[in-house]
Amino acid sequence: MNTVDNINFAGKKALVRVDFNVPLDKKTLQITDDARIRATIPTLKKILNDGGACILMSHLGRPLKKLKDDGTVDFEKHTLKNTLAKVSELLGVEVKFAPDCIGADATKMAAELKSGEVLLLENLRYYKEEEKGDEAFAEKLAKLGDVYVNDAFGTAHRAHASTAVIAKFFPNAKCFGYVMAREIANADKVIKHADRPFTAITGGAKVSDKLLILENLIDKVDNLIIGGGMAYTFLKAQGFEIGSSLCEDDRLDLCLELIKKAEAKGVKLLLPEDSIVADAFSNEANYKPCNNQLIEKGWMGLDIGPKAAAHFAEVIKASKTILWNGPMGVFEMTHFENGTKTAAVAVAEATKNGAFSLIGGGDSAAAVAQFGFEDQVSYISTGGGALLEYFEGKTLPGIAAIGL
Ligand code: AMP
C-alpha cells in the first residue's frame, strides 16, 4: 500500500488531511474524546522524524449547516483552535495555528514553516467549496504543501476538496497515513481475505440503512446474523405477528428477497427466535421474554431473547472471521442490553481462540466499550459511514484519489 513509509519527508512540507472532528463538551468546549487525534499521531511523528514539517487540515462539525439561532456561523464552537492544545500535548510539539485555511496568512505561515514544525489550519468547512469538492479551492490548499497525505478515514467516502479532489495536484507525491492504511487493511482482511467460517452480525434500528451492506455481505459470508430492531421487518415479512416492534413496511419485499438470496447461496441467515418484549420504549416498562412467532399487540421487541442470544453466541464462537455492525437490542437500557452483551462476550471468546473480529464504528463500538471488551476484539474501526460504504462494495473517493 502507498503509505507514508514510502516517502522520505526530509525538507518537505506534508499537507496532511487529518480527522480532528472530535466531540466537544457543549459548555466548556473541551474535547470529550481525543481518540481521533491520538490515532493520527504516529503518522505525524513519522513525517517530523524524517525531518519534514506538517500542515494539518481538518473539519470540525458542520459550521455552515449548524448555524446559531440568529442565523450566523458559530465560530467559537467550530474553530479548530479548540483542538490546538490537545494536538500540541499529544505530539510534544508547540503547534502553530493559521486563522484561515487559505489566503495570505495561511500562505505566509506555511511558507515560513521549518523542518520539525507543525501548523494547524482553521476549519476547512468554513468554506462551502470544501464539501462541494471545488477544484479551485483544492488548488489553493494544495499550494501550501509539497506532499499530500490523507489520514482521515472517517471522511474517505466523501469527494470533498481536501479528501479527494486535492490529490490531483500531487500526481507523484501523495500517500495514505497510518490510520487510513490500517483501516483499509483491516477491512480487507474481512471482506477480501476472510478465514472461514465468516459471520457477520448486523443489528440496530433501521433495515433501510443496512440493506445495501446486507446484500453485499450475502455474497461473502457463511452466516448472517440479523438482530436488533431491524430483525422485526424480516419477521413480519415472513408472516409473524410483531406487535408494535419497529418495522419498515415498505421494505418487506426486499427482506423476503434477501432471505431467498441467502438460501440460494447457501448462506445461513439467522433471525432471532425469541425477544425480550416491553409494553413501552422505556427501561421502566414491563418486560418479559416472548417467542417471536407471536408478539402480542401493545408489546414491542427491544432485545433478542435468551434462546436467540444463546444460539447466536454459539455461531459466533465457532467463527474464524467476525464483522459486527449494529447492536442486538436497545443496549443503552439495562433491561434490554443482554443480547448485545452476550454477543460481545462471544466475539471476545472467538477472538481469544484465534478469530479475527472487526467492530464497525458507531453503536457497536459504543456497546463493546460499555461492556468493557475494547481490548478483547481484533480491531474497532473509526470509520462509521466510510466503513459501511466500503463494505457495500463502493469505491471510496478518498481511497481512489491516492490509489492502493
Ligand atoms: P442504527 O443506528 O440503525 O445502527 O441503530 C442503533 C440503535 O438501534 C441503538 O441506539 C439501539 O438502541 C437501537 N435498537 C436496537 N434494537 C432495537 C429494537 N429492538 N427496537 C428499537 N431500537 C433498537
Side-chain angles (χ1 to χ4, degrees):
M1 206 183 299
N2 183 10
T3 74
V4 280
D5 282 336
N6 297 347
I7 296 181
N8 182 349
F9 288 89
K12 299 218 163 78
K13 285 175 188 146
L15 189 55
V16 192
R17 177 51 159 105
V18 290
D19 182 1
F20 288 173
N21 183 31
V22 288
L24 300 176
D25 182 275
K26 282 199 177 73
K27 282 200 187 115
T28 63
L29 297 176
Q30 292 293 311
I31 298 170
T32 54
D33 180 359
D34 63 9
R36 285 178 172 165
I37 300 178
R38 215 171 263 283
T40 209
I41 296 297
T43 300
L44 307 182
K45 285 210 165 139
K46 146 75 183 158
I47 295 165
L48 298 177
N49 288 342
D50 274 1
C54 295
I55 300 164
L56 311 180
M57 45 182 187
S58 179
H59 74 282
L60 179 59
R62 317 193 83 185
L64 300 185
K65 296 197 171 123
K66 298 244 158 101
L67 298 172
K68 290 202 281 194
D69 290 342
D70 64 5
T72 58
V73 174
D74 191 340
F75 289 106
E76 203 191 349
K77 191 168 140 199
H78 293 102
T79 174
L80 271 157
K81 229 178 189 169
N82 289 323
T83 67
L84 190 64
K86 183 51 92 180
V87 185
S88 298
E89 176 200 321
L90 290 174
L91 209 49
V93 172
E94 197 64 39
V95 177
K96 299 171 194 286
F97 185 74
D100 194 349
C101 62
I102 53 172
D105 283 347
T107 305
K108 183 164 182 283
M109 290 180 88
E112 287 171 358
L113 206 62
K114 293 189 198 66
S115 165
E117 292 186 335
V118 182
L119 173 67
L120 174 63
L121 304 178
E122 183 53 293
N123 199 336
L124 295 160
R125 289 199 188 165
Y126 283 168
Y127 290 87
K128 63 180 183 323
E129 288 82 356
E130 163 63 1
E131 288 192 72
K132 282 194 173 149
D134 183 87
E135 210 170 301
F137 177 69
E139 191 172 12
K140 283 181 197 157
L141 289 170
K143 291 221 164 92
L144 301 175
D146 309 311
V147 183
Y148 171 62
V149 180
N150 189 350
D151 211 20
F153 185 71
T155 47
H157 56 318
R158 308 280 182 227
H160 293 170
S162 71
T163 60
V165 179
I166 192 170
K168 74 172 64 155
F169 299 105
F170 298 91
N172 302 311
K174 55 183 179 177
C175 65
F176 296 116
Y178 295 129
V179 175
M180 278 288 266
R182 198 167 53 224
E183 290 279 351
I184 297 167
N186 281 307
D188 282 351
K189 231 184 213 175
V190 166
I191 211 74
K192 295 188 180 153
H193 319 287
D195 283 339
R196 308 212 161 259
F198 174 10
T199 299
I201 312 165
T202 60
K206 289 177 97 186
V207 190
S208 45
D209 288 349
K210 308 268 164 84
L211 274 170
L212 279 175
I213 188 171
L214 290 174
E215 266 181 34
N216 199 40
L217 285 173
I218 275 192
D219 291 328
K220 314 241 171 2
V221 300
D222 302 296
N223 307 301
L224 180 58
I225 292 177
I226 299 181
M230 69 186 214
Y232 298 98
T233 304
F234 283 86
L235 294 170
K236 184 165 177 190
Q238 291 176 298
F240 292 14
E241 291 294 335
I242 60 163
S244 34
S245 307
L246 274 188
C247 185
E248 289 174 81
D249 284 310
D250 54 342
R251 296 295 197 277
L252 294 172
D253 290 347
L254 283 168
C255 288
L256 277 184
E257 265 174 45
L258 262 167
I259 292 171
K260 281 200 200 117
K261 207 170 158 189
E263 250 169 37
K265 292 197 179 275
V267 169
K268 272 201 203 113
L269 190 148
L270 293 99
L271 288 161
E273 57 237 63
D274 59 348
S275 292
I276 301 294
V277 294
D279 58 3
F281 187 81
S282 157
N283 205 32
E284 274 69 54
N286 294 306
Y287 65 100
K288 60 183 181 185
C290 170
N291 194 309
N292 274 347
Q293 296 284 350
L294 191 81
I295 299 177
E296 296 160 67
K297 282 209 170 70
W299 292 79
M300 61 186 85
L302 292 187
D303 192 9
I304 56 171
K307 283 189 223 152
H311 185 192
F312 290 177
E314 214 174 285
V315 172
I316 294 167
K317 282 192 257 178
S319 306
K320 284 278 166 263
T321 303
I322 300 161
L323 166 66
W324 187 3
N325 190 276
M328 296 291 96
V330 185
F331 71 99
E332 300 93 334
M333 300 183 195
T334 50
H335 292 154
F336 312 110
E337 68 173 18
N338 191 54
T340 307
K341 200 175 191 169
T342 308
V345 172
V347 173
E349 196 169 321
T351 311
K352 201 167 104 198
N353 292 329
F356 180 79
S357 54
L358 190 153
I359 314 300
D363 282 308
S364 330
V368 167
Q370 179 177 316
F371 303 130
F373 287 100
E374 280 159 306
D375 299 333
Q376 296 177 54
V377 296
S378 309
Y379 188 68
I380 301 179
S381 172
T382 58
L387 187 80
L388 278 187
E389 290 201 14
Y390 197 68
F391 283 135
E392 283 168 8
K394 292 185 184 151
T395 301
L396 306 191
I399 296 179
I402 304 260
L404 285 171

